[in-house]
């Protein structure tokens, strides 16, 4: 099996929800990069649990310990970096009995079908949302490496249940306005915990989540992400394009069930005359797209306009209500009530995870041998 | 660069729209599989151009020549199979001048930014929809290998522009009805050229396409695909799950801009109590899902219910209308009219391509060392 | 960069000689395998330092801590296993000043040329022989997985300096005698620390090493390894054959400078009539080789006879004598005396490492999708 | 299965000895490289059969046809290049009956064990020395790409049977003399067909081969190869070092059974004080090795001195004498006489193949994202 993605910048994730520790090994980081551990801690904090009523009360320090790949001066050494996060706050008793009664919406069932009884179910095992913590380590480091190239990555909650935030200008079907996007990115940077562009939307979303929580239920959402500053020419045709690499990696985030670039599914209902982004000669005399319906990617390769995509996050599988399941041991149906601590909506905490995965992929593409830009 | 996908069943695609030939190398095919070349030809025919007013009049025999990997008895040898399709009917003069004026919506621009003037633009080069022919060879062979495992794969046009076909029952949010799906698969098998479940939808879609064509324009669509017969337990957690592998490969089909599994983007607006598929004890006493909102995949691993996904196809980038572009040589804006032969809607011909890519990925996952099922 | 090898059974090694910890992540292990940690500890002990005058006095417990991939019952879970070994006994002051004066025979120089001053030199950094400890973890686990398939792997010291042990019968050019090999394997199993077939050779080798040590010098050696019990048909033609995979991995052991299979370099001086292993009908009526000059591999694929290879280990680069080097800071020549604790001959401790790497590769090939044997 | 090697510069080889065609797909070639097809033809000619009494009389034009990846101006396009060589001169009747009686020393037996009767035996199938022709295409192109970086690669016959040529100075254990190596490279360039440094050695080797041929037998040899001009810092630690990548790829050349770098197996008998290459300050004030016992590689990474290695080639498996084999059909022993056209010594024609594989690997390492040198 492969819990690995990336070629030039490669991340291997390990750990189960209730194993001794979780973590990642990162290969391909250039040597001599100063790791800003405080910036990384701030980034990690956005994903951390226990921040509000929409989030699981399980608290974990989630401070990664770099056991290799960094020298005494805090510089990367060019060799594999291993980051370890201890699992200190596990309450496995919450998961008693779950090893033979699969929870609906979880991977307990498929893990049992694949690996049998040896699969470590507790808390979702290797499928747990907790595994997104090491993803944020790998992505947080990638974000720092990308900064030197002038590349910024930001995501926000586009919707929760039926409540919608305003979209990034870059995702619009009309002409792309860099000034408006800059303003939006600044606004997003101000609200690191519950990331939206509109304050009203944030409030309404929190009410939507609270309402689900009161119903012992959960709700889904959509995360929109933008990567700005990529030069044209990054990515490859066919199967290693930006879309392909992002897609493979983003579907590795638990609960992601959909992905679209630029106009996405709306493109299916459009005509070419509206969808095609025209070119105009730029200040340097080279053609450049004047709109961004394509979401910054043509033929898998960056156009120089912001890369824009949206990710659909399903409602949290763990809900407080009784559900119908069946028992591997008795061979008969049985009701199931899932205990433990769970977010009624996972989408808010998925925002930095989407940024992290996007950063890993963009850095990977940027470092790829086929990329001329260094 | 990598025009390769798959690990256990690996496909490498080569060729440009107007190179001498296009083709693929397939590695990992079991030895001793009898190649049914007539069945493959029928499958290839569904993708072939020149079948109706919605399709480019460029006609290519598209008969693959197996230059290696098959023995004199038509059996696979276990060694790499190379299939070659000669490019006999190229009209490169249609593409004169395009090497310095990028066509909107095409990869001409990004190819030039990446590779400079050496990029072979004519007809879209390596990005051309023509490269889906070798994909259909690889996928058509994979379909034959999957048949022995009782796995069927079928796709249909779910929408063109604003016209919608009925969805596969399997994609429904309510309980999954195998009998209804069987009936739908049978109906799809009857209409190999323009694949829909409803005859009325087919007619309306053809009118939609014809209307775009009369407007010198193009239109997009959505393809829905189902893979039936996969046992539970195929795929892996994190980055090599069925969703991840399908996503990476499907975005390699030109014009694909979105992908969703099961309820997909609708899941973002749902509650967990509705989204979670409950389990019930099956005839063998093991749990099995009683509905299929998840689209047959939990944690990247198959549940045993049909795998269901939808792919958004953008409108054909080549349209007859004059468009705005800019000239690399003069450094100034210029109008552009694209000549050549083009489908006003590429979605109908994408249907077998989606099946082909799905077949390659499913076979790859099935042959993976982590799959217990043989 | 890639400190990873294997596809179906994949090992990623991380750590530097003096980082906080070293370790490995192992992917692809079947679920439900009971880890025999005592057997693993015995295997690790053969590689551990501080066992005799030929070995560095640095003592490390080298007890791996399994932070993921194992459940509470000590069974593998099918998900990535991470093993961590803390670096408790580092004496970095021994390496002061070495960051700008490269030690001859070490990778200090090439690391500095590749990564600049950020490279972590102390104790050899990521190139250190200490990184063979996690290799032994991965290999020790692989050995346990291979036992279930009846596959045994054993190595011994074939030579140290000018002193030679008797070779494995299987490596002989004449007919292969299973009974004799069994006797040899039994003898090897009795002397876990200084592994030779002949007791006289062991004594003479220890004298050779002691003599080098007294001269403040070091000496090289050859390790011979055999893998018994592989069925015929494991491996692949061209670039993923057993020879290819073993070669790539074995040259990852520090100090390895040569590798040969079967008759190896002697084959270059032989005639085909002597080199070719004839076939005879076996008890089941199938052909089988009657001798083993090929070292158990034809065309990259196992023949069913033991796989036999030899690995040349260069003399330890760290010697007590003053050597000539140059200073990156002053730009001029300077003498260098290497302090620290070092083995005068690394070959004895390389014996279990060669077994470990061989086990990883053989398990990888056995689990490969192209292998019919399960 | 994988007939593929390389990451940044990736070669996939396809074809069987008697399939319709053989060839390769090359990915990762920079765009805009002018292909010098005449230089490539001259390079291919060195490997071609039918050049002397030591070589098989089978004549093949072996002119590769580039069906993709090259534009009308003969420049590479950056997309996958497919080169096809038709098999026009096959005499399969020579191989009649061989499908159930494996030839000693060949992969017929292991192919049958792996793939069963479907394996295409004729002429060695996918294992045939004929597959080295596409390897020479991939390598010949790589050699052209390396020239722009000032990197030269040359090999010669170091021995045939008991006859030895003088070694490259670079491989010597004493100080490395660039002037002497230049003179040797010039001499090698003069004798493209039977490549030796000494004319006397060439004559004696031809006699050795002729003697084997008269005895209806074959003989082995050793090929020595040098890569000059690599800057320091190319390659990686652990498993993707130059030694690892060269090892994996070189053992893909049929008949290779041994490989050593620098002093190689002799290093096992040496002391560290002799083996370590001292450093001295170079003209630019940076340290540089003053000798080359290491063969230009420390810790998998180039030192800037020439990379030197030797490859052991076993005697041709096909010999005219009657040999002992067994019959899959009858289940009993039977004598076997191999007909067909075969080289009594394959080593002379392996010389350009070793250069080709070396070029592919060096280009791959040079293009790797971890290499700073561009």
């Amino acid at each position: 099996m492969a819990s690995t993605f990336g070629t030039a910048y490669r991340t291997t994730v390990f750990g189960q929800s209730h194993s001794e520790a979780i973590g990642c090994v990162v290969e391909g980081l250039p040597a001599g990069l100063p790791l800003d551990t405080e910036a990384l801690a701030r980034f990690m904090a956005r994903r951390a649990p226990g921040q509000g009523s929409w989030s699981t009360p399980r608290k974990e320090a989630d401070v990664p310990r770099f056991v290799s790949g960094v020298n005494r001066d805090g510089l990367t050494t060019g060799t594999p970096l291993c980051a370890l996060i201890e699992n200190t706050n596990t309450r496995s008793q919450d998961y008693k009995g779950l090893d033979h009664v699969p929870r609906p919406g979880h991977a307990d069932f498929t893990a049992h079908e694949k690996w049998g009884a040896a699969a470590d179910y507790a808390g979702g095992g290797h499928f747990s949302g907790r595994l997104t913590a090491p993803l944020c380590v790998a992505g947080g480091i990638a974000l720092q490496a990308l900064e030197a190239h002038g590349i910024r990555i930001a995501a926000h909650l586009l919707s929760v249940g039926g409540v919608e935030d305003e979209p990034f200008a870059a995702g619009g079907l009309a002409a792309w306005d860099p000034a408006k996007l800059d303003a939006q990115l600044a606004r997003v940077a101000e609200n690191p915990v519950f990331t939206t562009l509109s304050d009203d939307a944030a409030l309404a979303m929190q009410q939507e989540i609270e309402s689900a929580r009161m119903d012992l239920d959960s709700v889904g959402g959509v995360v929109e992400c933008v990567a700005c500053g990529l030069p044209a020419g990054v990515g490859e045709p066919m199967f290693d394009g930006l879309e392909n690499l992002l897609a493979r990696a983003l579907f590795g985030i638990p609960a992601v069930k959909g992905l679209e670039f630029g106009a996405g599914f709306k493109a299916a209902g459009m005509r070419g005359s509206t969808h095609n982004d025209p070119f105009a000669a730029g200040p340097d005399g080279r053609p450049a797209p004047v709109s961004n319906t394509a979401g910054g990617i043509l033929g898998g390769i960056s156009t120089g306009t912001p890369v824009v995509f949206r990710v659909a996050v399903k409602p949290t599988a763990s809900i407080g209500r009784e559900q119908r399941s069946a028992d591997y041991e008795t061979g008969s149906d049985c009701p199931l009530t899932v205990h433990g601590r769970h977010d009624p909506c996972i989408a808010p905490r998925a925002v930095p995870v989407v940024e992290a995965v996007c950063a890993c992929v963009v850095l990977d593409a940027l470092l790829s041998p086929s990329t001329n830009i260094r």
Side-chain angles (χ1 to χ4, degrees), chain A:
Chain A
M1 60 152 297
S3 296
T4 294
F5 72 109
T7 303
Y9 182 68
R10 176 157 41 180
T11 301
T12 301
V13 173
F14 58 85
Q16 299 109 261
S17 183
H18 292 192
S19 59
E20 287 194 26
I22 58 177
C24 63
V25 178
V26 166
E27 299 170 275
L29 212 47
L33 184 79
L35 269 200
D36 184 340
T37 50
E38 288 184 22
L40 184 64
R42 281 194 302 276
F43 182 69
M44 297 290 293
R46 289 172 54 201
R47 190 217 71 91
Q51 300 182 338
S53 62
W54 70 89
S55 161
T56 166
R58 170 175 173 176
K59 285 181 195 294
E60 301 267 3
D62 281 355
V63 179
R65 174 185 163 219
F66 296 104
V67 303
S68 73
V70 184
N71 69 12
R72 278 134 215 260
D73 302 322
L75 303 174
T76 56
T77 56
T79 55
L81 180 153
C82 177
L84 208 70
I85 299 174
E86 302 284 337
N87 271 337
T88 53
N89 189 11
T90 59
R91 282 180 24 195
S92 288
Q93 67 274 29
D94 284 343
Y95 295 92
K96 271 208 182 124
L98 290 181
D99 52 342
H100 48 95
V101 181
R103 294 169 296 167
H106 276 285
D108 305 353
F109 168 65
T110 50
H112 192 290
E113 291 295 311
K114 187 176 187 66
W115 293 309
D120 180 10
Y121 285 177
H126 189 54
F127 302 85
S128 164
R130 186 143 172 68
L131 271 292
T132 58
L135 273 180
C136 282
V137 175
I141 295 172
L143 281 168
Q144 296 185 14
L146 288 171
E147 256 176 41
H149 295 272
I151 296 171
R152 287 177 302 169
I153 289 167
H156 71 118
L157 268 173
L158 184 62
S159 75
V160 165
V163 183
E164 299 206 358
D165 192 19
E166 59 174 277
F168 279 131
L173 306 178
W176 158 61
D177 180 349
K180 188 171 175 200
L181 182 61
D182 274 347
Q184 287 180 318
L185 291 179
R187 217 181 321 160
V188 163
E190 287 167 14
N191 55 359
V193 173
F194 202 96
T195 318
T196 56
L197 288 170
S198 143
D199 292 342
D200 290 350
L203 201 64
M205 286 175 181
Q206 292 182 43
Q207 288 167 345
E208 182 94 359
I209 295 170
E210 183 62 16
S211 158
R213 196 177 69 81
M214 298 299 288
D215 293 347
L216 301 179
D217 212 335
S218 64
V219 66
V222 172
V223 176
E224 187 183 45
C225 184
V226 68
C228 303
L230 251 86
V234 178
E236 312 211 359
M238 311 261 1
F239 307 108
D240 280 348
L242 285 174
E243 288 162 326
N244 311 77
L245 298 186
L246 282 166
R248 185 195 162 204
L250 289 164
F251 277 107
I253 303 174
V256 168
K257 295 302 277 188
L259 170 65
E260 58 179 11
F261 294 90
F265 275 88
K266 278 191 191 132
M270 292 168 70
R271 289 206 162 183
S273 54
T274 311
H275 188 275
N276 286 350
D277 298 307
F279 296 102
D284 60 353
R286 301 174 76 146
V290 300
S291 60
N292 194 21
T293 314
I297 303 172
L298 283 173
I301 302 174
S302 62
T303 64
T305 52
V307 170
V308 187
F309 59 89
R310 279 168 299 284
V311 159
V313 179
K314 74 176 187 184
T316 314
S318 290
I319 55 176
R321 295 187 185 191
E322 185 182 287
Q323 298 179 84
R324 287 182 292 146
S325 188
D327 191 321
Y328 272 106
E329 292 189 354
T330 64
S332 57
D333 295 1
C334 66
L336 174 72
T337 305
V338 177
H339 300 287
R341 302 148 297 180
H342 307 288
D343 294 6
C345 182
I346 199 70
R349 289 176 58 206
V351 171
V353 181
V354 168
E355 292 176 357
V357 168
C358 178
C360 291
V361 170
V362 167
L363 181 58
D364 186 36
L366 202 73
L367 294 176
S368 159
S370 80
T371 301
N372 301 313
I373 305 111
R374 301 282 159 184

